[in-house]
Amino acid sequence: MMDRNEYENAEQVRLILKYWFYSRISGCVGLLFLFVTLITPNWIRINSTLSKINLGLWNICLDNTCREVSGHAPILDTCRILLSISTLSGLVAVSAGLISNPRAGQSKWPLITSLATALTSLLAIVLFSVSVMSQLTFFREEREAEEIQFHYVLSYSFIGCCVGCILFFISWVLFVLVKIKESAIMPPPCPVGPENTAETDSIGVDADRSIEQSLSGIGCAYGVM
C-alpha cells in the first residue's frame, strides 16, 4: 500500500511524463513547419490582372517561374537571419528534448532553446509583416493609379511560420510545467526501524547506510509509476 506522499509523487511523475511527451510532439511538428516555411517562396501572394507573384524570403515566383530575390533589402535579410537562427534553435530544442530523460532530471536546454525559437520566429513574423505590408501598400497605390486591379493575401508559408511559432511557445510552456511538477515531488521519509535505531560499531557503517537511504529516496521519487 502506498502512503499519501508516494501517491502524490506518483501523480506528479505521471503528469511530468505526459507534459514531456506533448512538448516533444509540439517541438517536432513546430520544427517541421519552420523548416518548410524557411525554404518555400509562398509568404505573400500578389494577384493582378497582368500576373501572379509569389514572394518568399529567398525567391520570387512570377507566373510559376521562380528566381532568387535580387538586390539588397536589409529588412528581408534580417528576416532571413532571424528565421534561420530560429530553425537552428528549434533543432537544438527538439534534439535536447528527445535525448533528455525526465526520470533522470530535466536538462535546461529544451526549456531555453524552445523559448528562443519562439521569440526569434515571432520577431521575424512581425518584422516581415510590418515591412512587406508597407511596401505592398505603396505598390498597390501605384498600380491603382495605372488602373490595374491588384490584391494580395498572406500565403501558406507565412501561416506555417505562425503555427511553428505557436507550437514552440506551447512546447516551452509544457517544459515550464515539467519544472514546476518536478519541484512539487516530495522525497519519501526515511524509513524508521530497529536496524536504524540500533547502535553500530563503526561510524563508517552509519555513513554508508545514510547514503543508501538517500539514493533510495531519490529513486522512489522518480521511480514510482
Side-chain angles (χ1 to χ4, degrees), residues 14-43:
R14 289 191 185 97
L15 287 176
I16 287 175
L17 296 178
K18 182 179 179 180
Y19 292 152
W20 194 275
F21 172 77
Y22 286 118
S23 65
R24 287 174 171 177
I25 296 298
S26 298
C28 290
V29 178
L31 178 62
L32 179 62
F33 272 101
L34 290 182
F35 180 76
V36 171
T37 56
L38 177 65
I39 62 176
T40 52
N42 294 92
W43 283 62

Side-chain angles (χ1 to χ4, degrees), residues 159-201:
I159 297 173
C161 187
C162 295
V163 173
C165 176
I166 293 172
L167 288 174
F168 271 102
F169 267 119
I170 293 174
S171 180
W172 173 71
V173 171
L174 290 172
F175 280 125
V176 171
L177 293 176
V178 168
K179 292 297 293 182
I180 294 174
K181 294 300 179 182
E182 282 183 338
S183 62
I185 293 179
M186 295 175 291
C190 295
V192 178
E195 67 279 3
N196 296 324
T197 57
E199 294 183 356
T200 57
D201 297 332

